[in-house]
Amino acid sequence: MPEGPFLATSEELPGLVAQGRTVAEALDIARDVARKLIEARREREGPPDLPGTSQRRDYTIVVAA
């Protein structure tokens, strides 16, 4: 298994950047950061225009060798 750090970002949610020692840790941190970004945006501008949770999402994970 490649060693980190691993970086998670999102094109759909600008400002989301999370780093973890493992892929799982980076994704867990990214979820927390996403919640905080969405809440902050909601307070300033109203609900953000993001895909619904019922829509299927595919993610690409790039690991440097």
Side-chain angles (χ1 to χ4, degrees):
M1 181 74 156
E3 293 185 22
F6 295 92
L7 187 65
T9 63
S10 171
E11 291 180 8
E12 294 173 341
L13 188 57
L16 191 153
V17 178
Q19 181 177 322
R21 292 178 299 245
T22 65
V23 170
E25 183 181 54
L27 293 175
D28 284 341
I29 294 168
R31 278 190 280 279
D32 290 337
V33 172
R35 286 186 197 104
K36 291 175 184 174
L37 286 171
I38 291 168
E39 183 60 33
R41 185 174 296 166
R42 183 176 290 129
E43 290 175 6
R44 287 191 321 268
E45 306 167 8
D49 184 25
L50 296 171
T53 56
S54 63
Q55 295 174 333
R56 180 178 173 197
R57 305 301 300 165
D58 291 324
Y59 299 96
T60 301
I61 298 176
V62 178
V63 179

